Amino acid sequence: MKYKVVNSQYKDLVQNTKKYFITSSQSIWDKRNQIKVIQFNGTKLTIKSFKIPHIINKFAYTFLRDSKAKRSYINSIRISKFVPKAIGYIEYSKFGLFSNSYFISEKYDYDFTIREVLTQKTFNNKALILKQFASFTYELHKNNIKHLDYSPGNILIKINSDTQYEFKIIDLNRMEFVTLTKEERLKNFSKLWATDEDLTLIMKAYAEVSTIDEKEAVNIALRNSRKHKEKTSFKKRFKREKNVN
């Protein structure tokens, strides 16, 4: 068993994460990975349980690379102002090999994700939110942060006032810390699945806070967004046809 915790007050929690996770009945995500909410010393926390990997990845996580839980923790500490507060992580082994892992963080009480903003035409203050989202993304890029799954469900939004919104990112195990080129910055928006109209608004706002030409920003972002949509749609069609046959 390997673990790390930001503060000794959470040591018992992290060492006994599996027990806390199993006994919690408040599940907020249950797909490939699972996320549950617990109360600990008056604070709401989330525990993310990563899917038990296949045998090849068990060897990899034992000898070659960090687990998803450890990467989530390390990345959270590194970019703390942009993410829910990290608490710790723990890894379990079985027969000398990596078995499974958990990442614990404070529960961020957000009001909605960027998905709701992008999928509803009449979302309240939509244009303002998208402009502030563009500025938030620029701050990520300016700090050499590249989220490799910058998709709608991984961008949380809290209402701070009638005109001010706070953004946080989650799903932090897949990130790079590099100086991004112009193309990489604009391509980073492609997984939002935004309409051309919404993405154009975002790009114009992004161009305002960056040194990128507005027309160029819009063209590059739209091109990459369309490519991503076509690629994803093709994969879905192929999968459906494969299942039928």
Side-chain angles (χ1 to χ4, degrees), residues 115-152:
R115 175 181 284 116
E116 289 93 306
V117 183
L118 293 171
T119 55
Q120 297 178 33
K121 280 194 173 183
T122 58
F123 199 92
N124 187 45
N125 276 352
K126 182 172 186 174
L128 179 61
I129 295 169
L130 294 182
K131 288 177 182 178
Q132 291 185 15
F133 167 66
S135 295
F136 170 77
T137 307
Y138 173 71
E139 285 300 311
L140 293 179
H141 294 166
K142 190 172 70 172
N143 284 276
N144 300 329
I145 300 167
K146 183 181 181 182
H147 196 308
L148 298 179
D149 190 12
Y150 205 50
S151 54

Side-chain angles (χ1 to χ4, degrees), residues 40-58:
F40 186 81
N41 291 342
T43 303
K44 281 186 178 181
L45 307 175
T46 60
I47 302 176
K48 184 171 184 177
S49 171
F50 291 91
K51 181 183 177 182
I52 296 175
H54 54 67
I55 189 64
I56 294 174
N57 276 343
K58 285 185 177 183

Side-chain angles (χ1 to χ4, degrees), residues 145-181:
I145 300 167
K146 183 181 181 182
H147 196 308
L148 298 179
D149 190 12
Y150 205 50
S151 54
N154 290 334
I155 301 157
L156 313 181
I157 307 172
K158 178 189 285 187
I159 302 171
N160 281 344
S161 71
D162 290 342
T163 58
Q164 191 61 46
Y165 299 86
E166 182 178 83
F167 299 80
K168 299 287 184 183
I169 51 174
I170 57 171
D171 205 358
L172 307 168
N173 60 285
R174 295 181 62 240
M175 307 192 76
E176 289 180 356
F177 299 96
V178 294
T179 301
L180 284 83
T181 66

Side-chain angles (χ1 to χ4, degrees), residues 62-91:
T62 303
F63 302 110
L64 300 175
R65 64 175 186 263
D66 291 335
S67 70
K68 292 181 179 181
K70 184 176 181 179
R71 277 181 274 149
S72 297
Y73 175 80
I74 292 172
N75 291 341
S76 293
I77 298 298
R78 183 168 181 174
I79 59 169
S80 58
K81 68 181 274 190
F82 299 106
V83 302
K85 184 179 177 181
I87 299 299
Y89 78 92
I90 189 165
E91 300 170 346

